[in-house]
């Protein structure tokens, strides 16, 4: 996979061979070590030698969180290269997020896959807001949605001219004044979790929603940038708040 440099005596070869033995107890092997090292080096700008040192840590966490080798590599690569975390910080944040999902009774592996696929979102909101995004990932799953929906809502609300017009149209259609300004401000500041709370408060309860016509529901969905099915899930599950993680244990 790496050409002669992978076979030549030296630190890289020793790291790869050592990790290949170490990860046997995790149900992994040489193919996983090679694939993970290549993924980190090719796609996340981590040096080949440095990537070869991370196999044990990443595969251990990946197995503990129910992720494939590729998913674990994408998660750690995203947190380290885009989120600007060290390997230890990435491990702690990833495992904390997993345990936060467990505490909130949502599928933790699904939350972690969302995080692994969120490099564009983390880059957009900035490395300083990566913890907010992890909370938003758990919150989204609790609402029956994914981070992609949260990202879609943020993109819609931050398209100010179009968003404000849709908000006004929806207000007329449903006969109730919407005000998504605070949600826009929070999304613009990278506070995704808090922004979603503000969005949910503007939607109204399930009883009011059930009385809306098809066109009214379509207009309300357009105001926040989602499909009708996503809006229905938001309405139905909006009372489900995030429970704080009480303890942290290394997985």
């Amino acid at each position: 996979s790496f050409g002669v440099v992978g076979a030549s005596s030296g630190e890289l070869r020793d790291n790869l061979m050592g990790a290949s033995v170490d990860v046997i107890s995790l149900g992994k092997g040489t193919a996983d070590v090679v694939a993970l090292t290549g993924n980190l080096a090719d796609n996340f700008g981590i040096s080949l030698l440095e990537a070869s040192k991370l196999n044990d840590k990443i595969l251990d966490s990946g197995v503990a969180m129910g992720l494939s080798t590729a998913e674990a590599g994408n998660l750690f690569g995203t947190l380290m290269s885009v989120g600007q975390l060290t390997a230890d910080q990435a491990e702690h944040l990833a495992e904390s997020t997993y345990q936060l999902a467990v505490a909130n009774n949502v599928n933790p592996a699904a939350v972690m896959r969302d995080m692994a696929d969120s490099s564009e979102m983390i880059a957009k909101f900035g490395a300083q807001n990566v913890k907010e995004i992890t909370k938003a990932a758990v919150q989204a799953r609790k609402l029956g949605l994914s981070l992609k929906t949260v990202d879609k809502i943020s993109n819609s609300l931050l398209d100010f001219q179009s968003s404000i017009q849709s908000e006004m149209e929806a207000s007329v259609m449903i006969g109730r004044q919407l005000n998504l300004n605070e949600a826009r401000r929070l999304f613009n500041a990278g506070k995704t979790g808090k922004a979603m709370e503000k969005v949910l408060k503007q939607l109204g309860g399930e009883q009011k929603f059930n009385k809306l016509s098809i066109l009214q529901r379509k207009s309300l969905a357009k105001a926040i940038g989602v499909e009708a099915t996503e809006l229905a899930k938001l309405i139905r599950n909006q009372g489900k708040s995030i429970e704080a993680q009480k303890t942290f244990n290394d997985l």
Side-chain angles (χ1 to χ4, degrees):
S1 293
F2 303 116
V4 70
V5 69
S8 302
S9 60
E11 189 175 359
L12 175 63
R13 188 199 66 171
D14 292 346
N15 290 344
L16 295 173
M17 291 180 67
S20 296
V21 175
D22 293 340
V23 300
I24 291 174
S25 61
L26 300 172
K28 302 292 183 178
T30 303
D32 296 285
V33 169
V34 170
L36 177 56
T37 302
N39 185 10
L40 294 175
D42 295 347
N43 300 317
F44 297 101
I46 300 172
S47 72
L48 191 60
L49 184 58
E50 185 62 28
S52 72
K53 299 175 182 177
L54 300 174
N55 287 290
D56 291 3
K57 181 188 294 292
I58 294 177
L59 289 173
D60 179 75
S61 290
V63 169
M65 293 185 289
L67 300 178
S68 68
T69 297
E71 289 167 342
N74 289 340
L75 175 62
F76 271 74
T78 295
L79 292 177
M80 291 175 66
S81 65
V82 184
Q84 299 177 17
L85 302 179
T86 66
D88 287 338
Q89 289 171 333
E91 179 184 26
H92 189 277
L93 180 62
E95 295 188 3
S96 292
T97 304
Y98 181 94
Q99 293 179 74
L100 180 63
V102 172
N104 282 275
N105 200 29
V106 297
N107 182 356
V111 171
M112 302 320 299
R113 292 187 191 103
D114 270 358
M115 288 297 299
D117 195 33
S118 65
S119 58
E120 187 67 28
M121 189 174 181
I122 292 175
K124 180 175 71 177
F125 286 112
Q128 70 275 18
N129 291 310
V130 68
K131 289 185 178 180
E132 274 285 329
I133 295 175
T134 65
K135 292 177 184 177
V138 175
Q139 183 184 38
R141 285 293 167 181
K142 202 161 187 176
L143 295 170
L145 301 166
S146 70
L147 264 181
K148 290 186 183 299
T149 303
V150 177
D151 195 29
K152 187 159 61 170
I153 292 172
S154 73
N155 286 336
S156 176
L157 293 187
L158 292 177
D159 183 1
F160 294 107
Q161 184 174 351
S162 175
S163 176
I164 291 172
Q165 182 177 342
S166 296
E167 178 186 320
M168 293 172 63
E169 290 174 357
S171 296
V172 172
M173 284 289 292
I174 67 176
R176 175 169 58 86
Q177 184 63 49
L178 295 176
N179 188 346
L180 296 165
N181 287 336
E182 183 63 10
R184 291 189 188 92
R185 185 187 71 79
L186 289 167
F187 271 129
N188 193 44
K191 309 301 181 184
T192 50
K194 293 178 180 178
M196 282 299 296
E197 291 175 8
K198 297 298 181 182
V199 170
L200 292 173
K201 286 183 179 179
Q202 290 296 310
L203 297 180
E206 189 170 7
Q207 188 175 3
K208 288 182 179 179
F209 179 74
N210 290 335
K211 293 179 181 179
L212 297 179
S213 68
I214 293 175
L215 290 178
Q216 287 173 320
R217 294 183 186 189
K218 184 177 179 180
S219 179
L220 184 57
K222 182 182 176 183
I224 62 171
V226 297
E227 302 298 325
T229 52
E230 294 170 315
L231 176 63
K233 289 180 181 180
L234 286 170
I235 296 287
R236 186 175 64 248
N237 297 311
Q238 62 182 311
K240 297 179 179 179
S241 57
I242 295 293
E243 295 181 17
Q245 177 187 341
K246 296 177 175 63
T247 58
F248 171 80
N249 297 305
D250 185 78
L251 298 179

